[in-house]
Amino acid sequence: MPQPPAPAPLSAPARYVLWGLGLLFLLRVALLFSTYTNLYPDEAQYWLWSRQLDFGYYSKPPMIAWLIHLSTLGSDVEPFVRLFAPFLHLGAALCLWGAGQRLFNEATGLCAAIIYSLMPGVVLSAAVISTDAPLMFFLSATLYFYSIFLTTNAEKARLKAALGMGVAFGAAFLSKYACLYFLIGAAAHAVLVPSVRRSWNLRSLALFAGAFILLMSPNLYWNATHGFQTVSHTADNANWHWGKLFNPTSLLKFWRDQLGVFGPVPVLLMLLGIAGLVRPRAGLLHREADAAQRSALIGLTCLTLPPLIFVSVQAFLSRANANWAASAYVPASLLVAAFVVTGFSVAIRSHRLWRPALGIGLGIQVAIMAVFMLGAVSEPLTHALGLGNTVKRARGWDTLTHAIIAKAQTEARPTAIAVDNRNVYNALAYYGRDWFTANPDVPLKAWVREAHPKSQAETETPLTAETGQNVLIVSYVDGFIPDIRRDFAATGPGESLKIALDHKRTRDFTLFRGYGFQRAPRDPRTGHPLGSSLETPDDDQ
């Protein structure tokens, strides 16, 4: 019986890159176990979801909760909550390596893996747990299967690749709905390149769509049975309030932030390269690029642009967070690598400058990564490097929880502890997990300001008359205090609580008692408490 051929040995550059990625992975895991920072409130919320597995949650699909549930089977401490992040980003880099090798050559794949791994957004994302890590891994896996689909002529192999794409893309959907930009890009690729359009047939489309629908359907069912909470939350995030549209400053801020997500030099090379591709009688018509490589460049451009275009429009109309276009930088990492290694784009006259420019840019990003890692493990270095503002949202939550618990134990036992901010709720739920488990008669509750709940905490654990007889209230929003007091028959005097975040920053709270909770009427038009003129502030303070 003939033996299968032995796998080809790795080239020297591939071995060096693989060792580098492995070392970077170990450093990132070590950082999780040595940082002094707390969980961010969003991370605490994802942990809270992971305690009760479901097919969906108030603001996100379920993948993040499933992963945290697995990583915390043995321990709930912070490093294990975050443990999947470095694994997922290493996996994404390896998928890009494989996709680049199939679409172009080994050097392009290696370059793409390096660009992705040193992306500032990934440097941060590998140190926390968020929906971006699984999204980018599963999108990278989708792109890898797509590269197989595009480069194989065997029908059986192409069908397997279509099935793999559907499974990976379904997992991406369960990670974050921003994956849907990929469908727009893939459709545009098929429209623009006849050979890609001919590659698809009914069988391959059925396998891709069937696997995708099979994986996404439980989450769609969950949304349908929960009033499409996630859709409503997404609409609230869009913030398209009439009278506040058209914000060019917000658009400029979004693109400024992209320099900090993808890196200044990679962003510049990406934009120059794409500009070269769309120039008449240039770029895509470059005589050195064969048809397959031209198709790959078109495809990667089609996959990169939709998130950037759609989120830019959102930023112009209202606002946009820096990471809302993160899905663009999976294909963009490979696109920039192809521009630099193959030289197919002629957007600038001297392409010879691209490689040293990228090298300098990545060198700067390595230095930034080193500063970030050092600052994350040493509080004095954080102060010395001026990173206090960067980590302030991950500081002081454990101290706050201990202070609240001490307050609840030293005075008359409350019937509940209630908060007016979802971030505070999530942090108290995580850092007070052992105490609340041991004291079920003092539950953690969310005071609901508006007519309808605006977070999962307000939806599932609202303060009620039953639990509101003698409430210890933790108010983070001073302007809400008059509204909170109107919801009680009587309230006690306020007490200031300041939680130090560093040598100059504090997080300020007001504590007071509320007796006899009876929710006052809300304005049917605005949803706000009657008599209140205060707008709901940004929850990310």
Side-chain angles (χ1 to χ4, degrees):
M1 182 176 178
Q3 296 294 320
L10 290 174
S11 66
R15 289 197 299 271
Y16 293 144
V17 172
L18 187 60
W19 277 105
L21 293 178
L23 177 60
L24 181 58
F25 166 76
L26 292 176
L27 287 174
R28 284 171 169 166
V29 172
L31 179 66
L32 300 184
F33 286 87
S34 55
T35 182
Y36 67 92
T37 60
N38 293 163
L39 294 185
Y40 284 87
D42 284 346
E43 295 178 285
Q45 176 175 252
Y46 303 147
W47 169 84
L48 192 58
W49 293 350
S50 75
R51 301 306 87 191
Q52 187 174 351
L53 294 182
D54 208 337
F55 288 115
Y57 299 91
Y58 181 84
S59 60
K60 297 289 190 297
M63 183 64 72
I64 187 74
W66 296 352
L67 293 174
I68 293 174
H69 183 84
L70 287 176
S71 67
T72 55
L73 287 175
S75 173
D76 282 332
V77 296
E78 291 99 328
F80 289 100
V81 174
R82 294 167 165 165
L83 191 58
F84 264 105
F87 282 93
L88 292 166
H89 285 301
L90 174 62
L94 295 177
C95 287
L96 286 172
W97 180 347
Q101 191 168 16
R102 294 195 69 94
L103 292 174
F104 300 98
N105 51 46
E106 182 184 75
T108 302
L110 296 175
C111 185
I114 294 170
I115 291 171
Y116 177 87
S117 298
L118 298 180
M119 191 193 314
V122 168
V123 169
L124 174 60
S125 182
V128 300
I129 189 68
S130 73
T131 53
D132 288 331
L135 168 71
M136 296 178 84
F137 167 69
F138 288 117
L139 277 182
S140 298
T142 305
L143 182 57
Y144 173 70
F145 285 113
Y146 191 43
S147 72
I148 298 175
F149 181 84
L150 294 176
T151 56
T152 186
N153 292 320
E155 178 66 11
K156 187 175 182 180
R158 185 171 289 166
L159 292 176
K160 288 181 178 179
L163 178 61
M165 280 178 61
V167 172
F169 191 61
F173 181 88
L174 295 177
S175 302
K176 196 172 184 178
Y177 300 140
C179 72
L180 294 175
Y181 293 122
F182 185 93
L183 286 182
I184 300 173
H189 190 198
V191 169
L192 293 174
V193 182
S195 62
V196 173
R197 191 163 59 250
R198 288 192 296 269
S199 297
W200 289 98
N201 57 37
L202 288 178
R203 294 176 69 190
S204 57
L205 275 172
L207 282 172
F208 170 75
F212 172 53
I213 292 171
L214 182 65
L215 265 71
M216 72 182 288
S217 57
N219 180 248
L220 291 182
Y221 175 78
W222 182 92
N223 269 287
T225 56
H226 287 76
F228 289 97
Q229 289 179 351
T230 312
V231 176
S232 299
H233 173 79
T234 303
D236 286 343
N237 269 350
N239 199 35
W240 288 8
H241 298 305
W242 183 256
K244 296 183 179 179
L245 301 180
F246 310 119
N247 299 281
T249 303
S250 176
L251 176 61
L252 292 175
K253 180 178 180 296
F254 167 73
W255 274 99
R256 180 204 66 188
D257 291 344
Q258 298 317 291
L259 304 179
V261 173
F262 196 38
V265 174
V267 166
L268 177 63
L269 296 183
M270 175 187 72
L271 295 177
L272 287 174
I274 291 174
L277 292 179
V278 300
R279 285 178 58 192
R281 292 197 296 267
L284 294 176
L285 303 179
H286 196 288
R287 62 185 179 183
E288 294 180 7
D290 62 28
Q293 290 171 331
R294 285 199 300 270
S295 171
L297 289 170
I298 295 172
L300 292 171
T301 301
C302 290
L303 295 173
T304 297
L305 288 178
L308 295 172
I309 293 172
F310 279 88
V311 181
S312 292
V313 171
Q314 162 65 27
F316 181 68
L317 293 178
S318 177
R319 63 182 180 87
N321 290 343
N323 69 324
W324 285 4
S327 60
Y329 299 120
V330 169
S333 296
L334 184 50
L335 183 62
V336 171
F339 289 152
V340 171
V341 174
T342 64
F344 290 149
S345 177
V346 291
I348 57 176
R349 190 174 298 277
S350 181
H351 187 274
R352 293 187 301 272
L353 297 176
W354 284 42
R355 293 189 184 184
L358 180 62
I360 293 171
L362 294 180
I364 294 172
Q365 289 171 207
V366 169
I368 293 172
M369 179 177 66
V371 169
F372 169 78
M373 288 186 167
L374 289 172
V377 300
S378 170
E379 188 172 357
L381 270 176
T382 298
H383 300 159
L385 296 170
L387 298 176
N389 192 58
T390 304
V391 301
K392 68 180 183 180
R393 291 190 67 237
R395 298 294 311 280
W397 299 113
D398 53 351
T399 306
L400 169 67
T401 304
H402 297 153
I404 297 304
I405 290 174
K407 185 72 173 176
Q409 292 175 324
T410 56
E411 297 183 3
R413 192 171 181 83
T415 57
I417 297 174
V419 301
D420 63 356
N421 178 275
R422 72 174 182 89
N423 288 337
V424 178
Y425 180 95
N426 296 331
L428 290 181
Y430 177 77
Y431 286 103
R433 59 193 183 277
D434 293 334
W435 190 87
F436 285 112
T437 299
N439 295 270
D441 59 319
V442 187
L444 178 63
K445 295 292 183 178
W447 172 74
V448 182
R449 178 175 182 257
E450 300 196 20
H452 303 288
K454 294 294 184 180
S455 69
Q456 185 149 342
E458 294 184 1
T459 301
E460 297 187 352
T461 57
L463 184 62
T464 62
E466 182 181 0
T467 56
Q469 297 308 302
N470 178 9
V471 183
L472 174 58
I473 298 163
V474 183
S475 177
Y476 188 30
V477 186
D478 284 343
F480 285 176
I481 293 177
D483 296 335
I484 297 174
R485 291 186 183 277
R486 279 194 288 268
D487 278 348
F488 288 89
T491 56
E495 175 185 339
S496 176
L497 174 63
K498 293 182 179 292
I499 303 298
L501 305 182
D502 54 32
H503 62 295
K504 64 178 181 179
R505 295 177 179 87
T506 62
R507 188 176 289 123
D508 301 339
F509 300 87
T510 301
L511 309 183
F512 59 97
R513 291 284 180 142
Y515 306 99
F517 178 77
Q518 186 60 53
R519 187 169 158 85
R522 266 46 178 177
D523 187 316
R525 184 179 61 84
T526 66
H528 297 170
L530 290 174
S532 175
S533 60
L534 182 68
E535 290 292 328
T536 302
D538 189 347
D539 226 359
D540 294 330
Q541 52 188 319

